Amino acid sequence: MKNNQTLQAEKVLYTGKTHTTGGREGFSKSSDNQLDIKLSTPGGTEPGTNPEQLFAAGWSACFIGALGIAARKRKIRLSTETAVDAEVDLCMSDDAYFYRHD
C-alpha cells in the first residue's frame, strides 16, 4: 500500500463502545455493561486502572488472536498457555503527548 492510500473496511466486525467521565480520574463503562471500571492516573495511589494498562491489555489480547488465526491457517495448534507481555509508554516530546508500544 502506498503512503497516500488508506485502507477501506469491507465490513465492520465489531464496534466497542464506552462512556467515560472524569478523564484519568473518572469512570468508564461499556455499552454492554461488561466493562465498568474506575480510572486512575498512572503511578498514582488511587484505586483503579489507567488507560495505558487498558491499551496494553487490548493490544496483547488482539495480538494473541492474530497468532491464533495464523496458526489455524497453517493447521498448527496454538497453546492455551500462549502469553504476550505488552508495554505501552505514555511519552512527551516538545509539549506533545504520544504513545509507543513494545
Side-chain angles (χ1 to χ4, degrees), residues 14 35 37 49-67 84-88 101-102:
Y14 178 78
L35 177 71
I37 58 168
T49 189
N50 60 64
E52 291 73 24
Q53 291 169 329
L54 294 170
F55 285 156
W59 188 90
S60 58
C62 288
F63 188 78
I64 291 172
L67 288 175
V84 171
D85 294 324
E87 294 182 15
V88 172
H101 62 81
D102 292 328

Side-chain angles (χ1 to χ4, degrees), residues 29-51:
K29 187 173 189 175
S30 63
S31 60
D32 63 1
N33 296 319
Q34 294 300 306
L35 177 71
D36 189 358
I37 58 168
K38 165 81 174 93
L39 299 171
S40 63
T41 303
T45 58
E46 294 295 318
T49 189
N50 60 64

